[in-house]
Amino acid sequence: MFKKVLTIFLLLWGIQIMVIACCPDSKRFFNRITGVQANNYNIQNGQIEDEIIAQEDYRIRLVISEETYTDNSFNPYFLVNAAYALDCEDIFEGLEPDIVNFSITCDKTILNTNAGQPIDYENLNVYKIGLRNEASNRQRTVEEWLDIMNNGGFLLGFEWLFEFNQPINSEEELTFNIKIVQEDNTQFEIETNPIRIEQGTTALQGP
């Protein structure tokens, strides 16, 4: 019995060595947030605005500063890693630690939400900056965006636009606050400058 188990172990170990030999440079990359910026953004001219803007042109521009690092430590589940290694590609794992809470609040009552309370995710769409004409850059929900940020993949990015998909009925200057809380309780909080959003066509047409 012992010889049989030993034979199986040696066989699996040999397969692992062969796979690693095929892709010796494959790495797992993670990203660590170091800071965030938020601006009032006009999609028509690509400029940051701080006075007045039509809602159909208005987006919150979120830029996440990060540092990328690799983790090549031994993983006891080496057969799972072997499956990745067969692709001979680097693996982009996303943020470490994960975002566990994300909110956008406003200093005035808008979208049936009291001042200082998180705006419902259903009122928001998200897409990448700079890829507006690509089919892969469709509008995404906040939940989908969080999944991309936490789990990585080819859609991972660190500059995003958030749009409101319902009319903002306010004639006051508005300041938006963005808060990010990660799994280790690291927190980032940033405010936009005050902006007056003109009533009009809602931003349903997308990027």
Side-chain angles (χ1 to χ4, degrees):
M1 180 66 181
F2 174 77
K3 290 183 177 179
K4 185 176 181 180
V5 171
L6 179 61
T7 300
I8 294 173
F9 175 81
L10 291 174
L11 178 61
L12 293 176
W13 179 78
I15 292 173
Q16 174 71 0
I17 294 298
M18 291 175 62
V19 169
I20 293 174
C22 292
C23 301
D25 296 326
S26 182
K27 296 182 176 65
R28 298 168 66 220
F29 289 93
F30 297 85
N31 304 92
R32 182 184 295 111
I33 297 178
T34 59
V36 294
Q37 297 179 5
N39 307 106
N40 302 308
Y41 188 79
N42 187 328
I43 63 167
Q44 291 300 322
N45 57 25
Q47 300 295 316
I48 295 172
E49 305 280 359
D50 288 325
E51 294 183 2
I52 189 168
I53 189 171
Q55 181 170 345
E56 59 264 33
D57 299 333
Y58 179 73
R59 305 291 186 271
I60 296 176
R61 177 177 179 264
L62 178 65
V63 178
I64 298 174
S65 302
E66 54 80 34
E67 59 182 16
T68 303
Y69 66 96
T70 60
D71 181 3
N72 296 320
S73 58
F74 175 73
N75 186 337
Y77 304 102
F78 61 89
L79 288 180
V80 175
N81 283 343
Y84 284 121
L86 287 172
D87 293 331
C88 293
E89 295 178 353
D90 292 332
I91 307 162
F92 296 90
E93 301 279 6
L95 294 176
E96 181 66 32
D98 286 353
I99 296 174
V100 294
N101 187 279
F102 174 83
S103 65
I104 297 180
T105 61
C106 183
D107 65 335
K108 306 291 191 307
T109 297
I110 61 169
L111 300 169
N112 296 317
T113 304
N114 291 331
Q117 295 300 308
I119 295 171
D120 196 298
Y121 286 172
E122 292 185 357
N123 294 317
L124 295 162
N125 297 325
V126 194
Y127 55 91
K128 274 187 181 180
I129 294 175
L131 297 175
R132 289 170 55 199
N133 296 323
E134 294 188 11
S136 63
N137 193 31
R138 64 176 177 81
Q139 294 169 312
R140 300 180 186 278
T141 65
V142 174
E143 289 91 347
E144 289 174 323
W145 173 74
L146 287 170
D147 183 68
I148 291 170
M149 298 304 295
N150 288 336
N151 297 310
F154 75 98
L155 291 174
L156 183 65
F158 299 97
E159 296 187 10
W160 297 87
L161 297 177
F162 289 76
E163 67 174 342
F164 295 101
N165 56 33
Q166 298 298 321
I168 296 177
N169 297 313
S170 176
E171 297 182 356
E172 299 180 277
E173 284 192 336
L174 307 175
T175 299
F176 295 98
N177 177 285
I178 293 178
K179 185 175 183 179
I180 293 173
V181 181
Q182 294 185 276
E183 200 168 26
D184 64 351
N185 206 36
T186 300
Q187 299 186 24
F188 298 90
E189 195 166 357
I190 190 71
E191 283 188 348
T192 65
N193 288 331
I195 190 77
R196 180 168 296 178
I197 300 175
E198 290 183 336
Q199 299 182 44
T201 306
T202 184
L204 293 174
Q205 76 275 15

